[in-house]
Amino acid sequence: MLCGLTNWPGAIQPAYFQALLAGAERQARERGYGFSVLRIAAGERSGERLQRMLRSQGVQGVMLLPQSPPSELGALLDWREFSVAAASLSVLGPEVNRVAPHHFDNTVRLCRELAALGYRRIGLVIDAEQDARAKRGFSAALLAFGRH
């Protein structure tokens, strides 16, 4: 059994989050695992009940899904009991293997493509929380591109 953990509200799921979740569920199923998603309260610090629940459900692996707002989850569980990977930069801790888009490189690539098309006044409109979840990769890339 695998479990995805997020503090993202169930009613609000951006397209990226939905696609990530669908892919994780599909990959788990194809490899013979069950997959469930548990939503934790934003800012939750103590996970004794959560630890017991995961153990009783036979969860062996935990995927740390995108968090809203970005969250430090290091003290939430005894992570040594699970195989853990993060699928987002918005997980500030624990330090685990991570698979996430490289927002800085992708934004620089986009700026280069726009410049090649003749655009000269390239701007960025983004929600501050979204940029924070990406560790400021979007805004940093635009600033770096603008200097050159």
Side-chain angles (χ1 to χ4, degrees):
M1 184 69 177
L2 303 176
C3 179
L5 286 181
T6 185
N7 63 11
W8 208 292
I12 306 168
Q13 292 184 346
Y16 171 77
F17 186 95
Q18 291 174 18
L20 176 70
L21 197 53
E25 290 172 335
R26 185 181 64 253
Q27 291 296 322
R29 190 175 51 251
E30 287 176 5
R31 286 164 174 72
Y33 289 93
F35 187 87
S36 64
V37 175
L38 288 176
R39 297 185 189 284
I40 55 177
E44 187 169 334
R45 295 282 180 229
S46 174
E48 293 174 22
R49 184 180 67 79
L50 178 60
Q51 187 95 21
R52 285 191 307 274
M53 184 173 68
L54 293 173
R55 200 177 302 128
S56 71
Q57 291 180 0
V59 172
Q60 296 175 320
V62 175
M63 175 184 270
L64 300 174
L65 296 167
Q67 308 291 309
S68 179
S71 299
E72 165 59 53
L73 304 175
L76 184 63
L77 296 171
D78 180 359
W79 298 104
R80 296 172 296 183
E81 287 194 36
F82 309 102
S83 292
V84 184
S88 173
L89 296 175
S90 63
V91 176
L92 305 177
E95 286 300 318
V96 296
N97 289 327
R98 186 178 309 264
V99 177
H102 200 297
H103 301 295
F104 184 92
D105 284 352
N106 291 340
T107 303
V108 168
R109 180 179 295 129
L110 176 62
C111 289
R112 285 183 183 139
E113 289 176 13
L114 291 170
L117 291 172
Y119 293 95
R120 298 290 169 243
R121 295 175 47 110
I122 300 168
L124 174 69
V125 177
I126 189 170
D127 180 86
E129 185 178 296
Q130 176 65 27
D131 199 32
R133 275 196 301 276
K135 295 195 175 189
R136 308 273 181 243
F138 297 115
S139 55
L142 192 67
L143 288 171
F145 181 80
R147 289 186 178 166
H148 303 292

